[in-house]
Amino acid sequence: MQSLKKIALIPNLTKKGAYACSLSTIGILHESGAEIHMPGTLREKYNGLNVTFFDSTDSLIEASDVALTIGGDGTIIHAARHASPLKKPLLGINMGRLGFVAGLEADELHMLKRLTTGDYTTEKRMMLRIVHTNASESREFYSINDAVISRGSLSRLIDIDVSLDKDYICHYRSDGLIFSTPTGSSAYSLAAGGPVVEPTMKCIVMTPICPHSLFGRSVIFSHHSELVVAASCDDDTEVFLTIDGAKTIIVKRDDRITVTSSELGAEFIVLKDKSFYRVLHDKFAEKR
C-alpha cells in the first residue's frame, strides 16, 4: 500500500487520556518520519511540537494522506464526513467505550509505524444520503452510521409511512425509525433489536423503535433502494431527524425524508488481522 507520511491528527481532548495519547502518537509518528498536521484550534496545546496547523478541517485533511482521530466513534464519524468527499482514508484510536469504528486501542500505538511503511490494508464502507424536503426547500445530508426519525420529549407515538421505490410498503406507529448502514448496524439499530451486518456489505437496515405492533422486525433493503418516509403526529408532539447522533432537524407533518445509499464512501485503514465478528465478540464479552 501507499506510504502515508502526512498525518492529520484530530484528537478529542474531552476524552479522558486523549491528550497523553496524542503526545505519544506524535512521538511515534515523528520517529517514523511522518509530518503531523492538526486543527488550528489546538495551537496552544501543541505549540513547539513540530506540528503544522490548519484553520479548517477540510484544508487540514486535504493537505494530508490520512485522517487519524483520537477519541470515540463520534470523533471518527465527524472526521469521515470531511475525509470521504476528499477520498482520504481514516484510522481511529479508541478512547471511548465500545469504539466499533476505531481501528486501534490506546495500548496499540506501536502499530502506527506501519502507516509510513505501507504495511496496512483498507476497507470501504457505504454511507447514506438523506434528503429532507419541506414546503420551501430540500436539504441533503450524509451519514456513515444512521439516520433516526424520532419523537420529542412528550410520550406520544408517531405515525410513520414508508415507501420503497415509490411504492407504499408499510406503516409504523412507534417511537421512531432507524435507517442504518452496515457500519451503523452495531450502534443504535442493534440496541433497538436490529441485526448485526458485516460492515463492508452494501445494504440499508430499517429498524423501528418500540413499535406498537405485533410485527416490528427490522428489514434489510438493497443498497439500490430508495426509501421515502413521511412522519406525522399530534400538533403538540415534535418529530426530529438526527444524522449520526450529531445533526438534528425538525420534521413537520408534510415533510418527506428520502434515504438512499450515497455515491460517497468511507475508507478505513486496517492494521490488525482480526475479523469484524471477533471484534464484536471482544467488545461485548463480559470481563471474567
Side-chain angles (χ1 to χ4, degrees):
M1 298 294 290
Q2 176 188 358
S3 175
L4 305 175
K5 293 290 189 178
K6 298 179 180 179
I7 315 293
L9 182 60
I10 307 171
N12 179 356
L13 298 183
T14 65
K15 297 291 184 180
K16 183 179 179 181
Y19 183 66
C21 180
S22 68
L23 294 179
S24 298
T25 298
I26 290 171
I28 290 170
L29 291 174
H30 275 157
E31 288 177 4
S32 303
E35 179 180 322
I36 310 298
H37 301 164
M38 297 188 75
T41 54
L42 300 177
R43 279 186 177 90
E44 291 186 6
K45 289 281 188 180
Y46 297 91
N47 191 30
L49 293 179
N50 191 20
V51 171
T52 303
F53 297 98
F54 292 80
D55 291 330
S56 74
T57 303
D58 285 337
S59 63
L60 165 66
I61 294 176
E62 188 170 17
S64 307
D65 298 325
V66 57
L68 175 61
T69 66
I70 299 175
D73 280 350
T75 308
I76 195 168
I77 287 170
H78 174 76
R81 287 197 287 270
H82 297 272
S84 296
L86 297 170
K87 296 182 172 25
K88 299 298 177 77
L90 300 116
L91 176 64
I93 300 170
N94 181 37
M95 300 298 294
R97 296 181 181 177
L98 291 176
F100 279 112
V101 186
L104 290 179
E105 299 297 324
D107 61 354
E108 298 172 323
L109 298 184
H110 62 280
M111 300 180 73
L112 290 171
K113 296 178 180 179
R114 292 166 58 183
L115 296 178
T116 59
T117 62
D119 184 18
Y120 62 90
T121 59
T122 62
E123 60 181 31
K124 293 184 178 179
R125 310 279 186 91
M126 70 163 277
M127 297 175 67
L128 295 179
R129 176 177 177 264
I130 303 101
V131 179
H132 173 234
T133 303
N134 58 27
S136 60
E137 64 176 351
S138 290
R139 300 173 63 193
E140 187 176 75
F141 306 93
Y142 293 90
S143 164
I144 191 170
N145 250 10
D146 51 40
V148 180
I149 301 162
S150 60
R151 63 176 177 82
S153 58
L154 294 177
S155 57
R156 290 190 175 94
L157 299 175
I158 58 178
D159 290 289
I160 304 173
D161 292 308
V162 182
S163 296
L164 170 64
D165 300 330
K166 300 181 180 178
D167 289 329
Y168 173 81
I169 58 168
C170 63
H171 171 87
Y172 291 104
R173 187 163 174 80
S174 65
D175 282 352
L177 195 58
I178 304 167
F179 292 94
S180 79
T181 63
T183 298
S185 70
S186 56
Y188 192 7
S189 177
L190 177 62
V196 174
V197 181
E198 205 282 326
T200 59
M201 292 180 66
K202 291 185 177 181
C203 63
I204 302 172
V205 182
M206 182 178 75
T207 303
I209 306 169
C210 299
H212 192 260
S213 168
L214 294 176
F215 307 100
R217 301 295 185 183
S218 296
V219 182
I220 298 178
F221 297 95
S222 160
H223 70 288
H224 297 297
S225 301
E226 179 183 81
L227 297 155
V228 179
V229 183
S232 62
C233 57
D234 297 335
D235 291 338
D236 58 350
T237 301
E238 293 180 310
V239 178
F240 298 102
L241 168 65
T242 305
I243 311 296
D244 281 341
K247 181 73 175 179
T248 300
I249 303 97
I250 296 175
V251 177
K252 301 296 185 182
R253 181 180 295 274
D254 295 324
D255 293 0
R256 293 292 181 271
I257 298 163
T258 304
V259 181
T260 59
S261 63
S262 169
E263 293 182 358
L264 296 177
E267 184 177 9
F268 286 87
I269 287 175
V270 179
L271 293 175
K272 295 187 290 187
D273 185 19
K274 184 182 287 189
S275 73
F276 166 72
Y277 298 101
R278 181 62 188 177
V279 172
L280 190 73
H281 174 271
D282 291 347
K283 294 289 186 180
F284 278 113
E286 293 183 359
K287 293 182 179 179
R288 298 183 183 276

